[in-house]
Amino acid sequence: MADFEAYDRARQGPRDSRQGPGSAQGRGRVQEIDRLEAIGDLHFDSCAYIIAFDYYSQILPDEIFDQVSRDRALQVLRKALTASLHLGWSSRADQLLERGLERLAHDAAIDPEVRECERARFQVRAAALLMLRGDYQAALEVSKRAFTVLALTD
């Protein structure tokens, strides 16, 4: 399976949260999310995808997920989606893909160019999911659309 996260890591900025760092609760929550994501990344990079998925999924419940920035939330969703693809969990991958695309569609504050780039990042994973299911022609079409967008970004 390809390393989908390489592109995302290259463009990854500093980790942030919506909750202000001024409050003790906010700092504690940010540190906990940072810890969960970092440990998940460690396991992902060592190909222990099921353990990585477990750590990422601790960030995915709505009460936690809604506290992080949009960019960070989408990043964690992509990581969990990629881990589920590595594990062959197509139904879980469907759920995560739908959640990511839904979040993109309903966030009016996203710049249209950023929205297209983020959608293309999810389309790469959608193409992998289609390949997992044996629908190679559809995977090719989806990956072409994603490449068209991502080829024009830095």
Side-chain angles (χ1 to χ4, degrees), residues 24-138:
Q25 183 183 13
R27 281 192 305 272
R29 177 67 74 182
V30 169
Q31 289 174 346
E32 178 65 11
I33 291 170
D34 286 346
R35 185 187 71 77
L36 291 170
E37 187 177 4
I39 294 172
D41 291 347
L42 176 74
H43 287 289
F44 187 92
D45 290 339
S46 65
C47 299
Y49 302 116
I50 196 163
I51 299 170
F53 184 84
D54 286 342
Y55 279 97
Y56 297 145
S57 65
Q58 292 179 46
I59 302 171
L60 295 177
D62 289 335
E63 63 272 3
I64 297 171
F65 194 73
D66 292 338
Q67 293 179 10
V68 299
S69 70
R70 177 195 66 238
D71 293 338
R72 181 104 182 258
L74 292 173
Q75 176 183 325
V76 171
L77 266 175
R78 284 191 307 269
K79 289 177 181 182
L81 175 55
T82 303
S84 65
L85 287 170
H86 281 288
L87 293 165
W89 295 350
S90 59
S91 61
R92 176 64 64 150
D94 274 332
Q95 294 169 352
L96 295 169
L97 183 62
E98 183 179 322
R99 186 172 181 190
L101 293 174
E102 194 174 288
R103 188 162 179 114
L104 280 173
H106 289 69
D107 193 342
I110 301 177
D111 180 75
E113 289 179 18
V114 172
R115 184 186 316 271
E116 285 304 308
C117 184
E118 290 293 335
R119 185 178 295 124
R121 288 175 164 183
F122 278 101
Q123 285 177 331
V124 169
R125 286 143 179 101
L129 181 59
L130 289 166
M131 285 179 28
L132 184 66
R133 293 185 170 139
D135 194 351
Y136 300 110
Q137 186 60 40

